[in-house]
Amino acid sequence: MAADKKKDSISPPKNFLLPFILLLLSKMSLHGYDLIQRLTTFGFHSLDQGNIYRMLRKMEKEELVCSEWDTTGPGPAKRLYSITEAGHTYLTSYASQLEQYQSMLDQFFTMYTSMLELYIPPLRNKEDKIEESNEDLRRNHDGTEKEEDR
């Protein structure tokens, strides 16, 4: 049960946040709050909103994203973030690196699965089960063998 809780609490590494933000912004411009909501669908469950906005400002300084004030909706003006050409270039490069990493992971899991097969006992065939059933029938309820089997 403890392993299940640990498995449920696993979230993507923080350095995955930047490419996921760029990926989302490559589809459409988004407000920070909308961006945070969409990131949770990718498995980023415990996001600190302050950190996300700091990260967006840093990405803006690095010219990966740009923002403008959106005054069209009700309430106060909100920043609307968009990906830049440099952001697209970064995202393409990062995706290429992830593809190489995925190849390494595929190799790892292929080896890991084959290693597990060495330690998992093979399923017994039906004939073994039939023999066991026949033996069980020859035994009395108290665990002693019937007279004819002696």
Side-chain angles (χ1 to χ4, degrees), residues 3 21 33 72 75 99 144:
I21 289 172
Y33 180 79
T72 58
E99 193 172 33
T144 60

Side-chain angles (χ1 to χ4, degrees), residues 56-68:
L56 285 166
R57 281 194 296 279
K58 182 179 180 203
M59 291 169 68
E60 199 164 8
K61 284 181 184 174
E62 294 171 355
E63 299 182 353
L64 299 174
V65 300
C66 60
S67 69
E68 60 187 8

